[in-house]
Amino acid sequence: GIELKTSDPVVSYRETVTELSNQICLSKSPNKHNRMYVNAEPLKTGLPEDIDSGKVTDKDEPKARARYLAETYEWDVNDARKIWCFGPENTGPNILTDVSKGVQYLNEIKDSVVAAFNWATKDGVMCEENVRGVRFNIHDVTLHADAIHRGGGQIIPTARRVFYAAMLTAKPALMEPVFLVEIQCPESAMGGIYSVLNRRRGHVFAEEQKVGTPIYMVKAYLPVMESFGFTADLRSHTSGQAFPQCVFDHWQVLQGDPLEEGSKSSVIVLGIRKRKGLAEGIPPLDRYLDKL
């Protein structure tokens, strides 16, 4: 027969940034007539979850949404009123904001920029995974006076490049999915549970006894990438007394810098790039950042 190669199940990650870009990034269009200045910053904790749950959407009345963002997440009200779109697919947990003042012809290229934003947030710069929790600010745009020279073919690639540059200058990071694990077990099996979870970067955050029974409910967070073979491992350590139940709970930032060789995130990013058949190594910043 044919030998089968089995790899670990594929875990999807999210790309994000962890601080404000260290500069305002510039990209020029292929014909050198249009320039875009953009930077990136992380969204405040809780906002991506609000967008996921539909509390903040692109369908909201702009002023009410601006008030909510200003009160809850300390946004500038004027910026919050000029949200162009969410992405990917106009609903995702990333925001494109126009913080520029008095740019000519800006609304003519809005569609092109939004298309580029959706593209850039769907395929992130590090390993073409979705982007999560990033706010892009358009600071300034210099456009050609003639409409022919600022069509989609000029604007979309430029905008996408500048979004990538903004992400690379804002300390990019990976986010991994985390399971909420509920384990039912008798008290005698507790030690085994803790040792299995600690080995797999999991941590217990609640345990309670079911009233009138000797059974405990243990709740823990366990990164999805560590969860393969978890059930079997747990059963063997508790001699079959513990019953785990896993359900996706949230995303958390993976420690380590993906741009630094040999770090855990970097190994994962290179693995994903290899699996997707992309060029090896995260693209360098100067591929996306132009000089004046």
Side-chain angles (χ1 to χ4, degrees):
I2 304 166
E3 267 190 44
L4 292 177
K5 284 184 187 164
T6 57
S7 65
D8 267 344
V10 172
V11 180
S12 74
Y13 292 89
R14 294 285 183 269
E15 301 184 23
T16 188
V17 301
T18 51
E19 50 190 61
L20 184 67
S21 298
N22 56 21
Q23 64 196 70
I24 292 181
C25 302
L26 156 72
S27 269
K28 293 182 190 165
S29 61
N31 63 14
K32 302 285 184 276
H33 284 309
N34 309 291
R35 301 188 193 126
M36 285 188 69
Y37 298 86
V38 170
N39 72 355
E41 59 181 291
L43 292 177
K44 291 255 170 61
T45 317
L47 185 49
E49 288 73 19
D50 270 356
I51 298 173
D52 283 341
S53 66
K55 205 166 180 179
V56 178
T57 66
D58 57 336
K59 309 269 191 299
D60 294 342
E61 203 268 315
K63 282 188 175 169
R65 181 177 61 204
R67 198 176 310 119
Y68 178 76
L69 288 173
E71 284 167 8
T72 320
Y73 298 108
E74 299 161 21
W75 276 49
D76 182 309
V77 177
N78 297 330
D79 297 354
R81 282 185 186 164
K82 289 163 76 174
I83 289 179
W84 270 16
C85 89
F86 294 81
E89 279 142 25
N90 294 330
T91 54
N94 304 286
I95 296 182
L96 176 62
T97 324
D98 162 29
V99 298
S100 61
K101 302 275 187 288
V103 175
Q104 277 187 309
Y105 314 119
L106 189 58
N107 49 2
E108 292 182 24
I109 64 156
K110 181 170 175 176
D111 288 346
S112 302
V113 176
V114 165
F117 170 75
N118 276 316
W119 184 11
T121 49
K122 197 171 167 61
D123 299 333
V125 64
M126 291 191 290
C127 50
E128 294 199 356
E129 291 284 314
N130 286 3
V131 177
R132 179 181 174 84
V134 183
R135 167 185 170 183
F136 294 98
N137 302 307
I138 302 174
H139 283 269
D140 191 17
V141 186
T142 316
L143 294 168
H144 194 276
D146 191 353
I148 280 181
H149 293 303
R150 47 168 204 268
Q154 301 292 338
I155 301 298
I156 294 177
T158 313
R160 175 171 172 252
R161 287 181 58 216
V162 80
F163 293 142
Y164 281 176
M167 278 193 73
L168 284 175
T169 54
K171 273 271 177 83
L174 271 189
M175 299 183 95
E176 57 172 351
V178 179
F179 275 148
L180 169 67
V181 191
E182 293 189 339
I183 306 171
Q184 295 188 24
C185 68
E187 193 174 356
S188 58
M190 297 283 263
I193 291 176
Y194 277 93
S195 70
V196 173
L197 281 170
N198 286 341
R199 262 213 316 283
R200 292 172 173 263
R201 292 196 298 126
H203 69 272
V204 175
F205 65 92
E207 54 176 65
E208 51 198 50
Q209 187 169 7
K210 282 196 173 172
V211 182
T213 63
I215 289 182
Y216 281 80
M217 280 289 290
V218 178
K219 290 186 180 179
Y221 289 134
L222 178 71
V224 171
M225 60 185 283
E226 309 284 350
S227 68
F228 306 123
F230 171 70
T231 311
D233 201 10
L234 189 67
R235 296 247 161 93
S236 68
H237 276 81
T238 57
S239 56
Q241 292 176 308
F243 294 96
Q245 179 84 30
C246 294
V247 52
F248 170 75
D249 189 72
H250 64 278
W251 297 92
Q252 78 179 11
V253 175
L254 198 59
Q255 296 307 313
D257 183 357
L259 303 178
E260 185 188 311
E261 259 184 56
S263 70
K264 180 154 190 174
S265 321
S266 150
V267 173
I268 292 173
V269 168
L270 295 179
I272 297 174
R273 291 188 72 90
K274 191 173 170 191
R275 184 184 91 223
K276 293 187 174 181
L278 306 170
E280 208 171 300
I282 296 175
L285 177 60
D286 53 23
R287 188 176 301 177
Y288 302 120
L289 193 66
D290 291 330
K291 298 280 178 283
L292 256 175

